[in-house]
Amino acid sequence: MTFLNISSRYLGAMGFLGVSLWLFNKSATVPEPETGLGYGMLGMIGIIAGTALLTPEIYTVITRVVDGLYFPGGKLDKPILSYKLPEFYRKEERFEESLEHYDIILEHYPREARAWIGAIELLIEDFGNRRQAESYYQRGRRKLRRNREALDQLERCWRSHSTKSVV
């Protein structure tokens, strides 16, 4: 983000918040309740707009506080294992991003059968790329060779998909 974008967001946010405070003050001093309510509603809209302009900074502060509470020693060695992003991206038909996240999981957790299976299914069903899927299958077999149950899951997945025709 450039300095101009950041400073204009700050200026806009401060403008909205300042006008909102003025409107709230005005709403308390007008004699007609309907007019005061109108000023109050406009003030709320200004608060929402100002807060929306500051949201990235607010999010950053909150995540740093939470990170400091739960991980006081600093950054983790590897990301927390979660399949939510690749599954979400696949559901949204954002297949490239889904595969990227499976690759990130496999980079840090190479003995996770679910990640190998997810990537293989994505490659066959959504990309129609059996050759790359077979590469993942072979790499997964090597990584999972010591875990019989995980290897069986991977092989069942491969057998079920290798009998289907690719579109």
Side-chain angles (χ1 to χ4, degrees):
M1 225 181 246
T2 66
F3 175 75
L4 186 58
N5 287 344
I6 293 172
S7 62
S8 62
R9 279 193 313 112
Y10 283 137
L11 286 173
M14 293 304 123
F16 276 118
L17 295 173
V19 169
S20 296
L21 289 175
W22 180 82
L23 287 168
F24 282 131
N25 187 36
K26 185 84 171 157
S27 73
T29 60
V30 294
E32 303 86 24
E34 295 83 18
T35 306
L37 183 62
Y39 282 127
M41 295 298 280
L42 287 174
M44 282 304 298
I45 292 170
I47 293 274
I48 292 168
T51 305
L53 288 173
L54 293 176
T55 298
E57 284 73 22
I58 293 170
Y59 176 77
T60 301
V61 169
I62 290 171
T63 55
R64 285 190 181 151
V65 168
V66 170
D67 187 44
L69 289 173
Y70 289 102
F71 307 108
K75 293 190 176 200
L76 295 172
D77 292 339
K78 55 185 175 182
I80 295 172
L81 178 63
S82 173
Y83 293 97
K84 289 183 180 185
L85 273 175
E87 290 170 358
F88 169 77
Y89 286 138
R90 186 171 184 199
K91 206 176 291 180
E92 293 290 313
E93 297 182 1
R94 294 165 59 182
F95 304 126
E96 294 286 337
E97 292 164 290
S98 180
L99 186 59
E100 286 173 17
H101 281 280
Y102 277 122
D103 285 338
I104 290 169
I105 292 171
L106 292 170
E107 177 184 337
H108 296 287
Y109 299 93
R111 289 177 177 76
E112 278 292 313
R114 183 174 168 189
W116 291 107
I117 290 168
I120 289 168
E121 289 176 343
L122 181 71
L123 285 164
I124 290 175
E125 295 172 5
D126 299 314
F127 285 101
N129 190 338
R130 186 179 302 276
R131 180 175 290 148
Q132 190 176 2
E134 186 171 2
S135 169
Y136 273 71
Y137 169 67
Q138 294 301 333
R139 287 183 11 228
R141 285 189 61 198
R142 283 192 300 277
K143 296 292 183 182
L144 300 173
R145 70 181 178 272
R146 291 193 177 110
N147 183 342
R148 190 69 219 163
E149 183 180 332
L151 186 58
D152 287 344
Q153 290 174 357
L154 181 68
E155 289 175 349
R156 277 194 304 275
C157 168
W158 182 251
R159 278 193 306 271
S160 74
H161 285 87
S162 63
T163 59
K164 297 177 185 175
S165 64
V166 177
V167 178

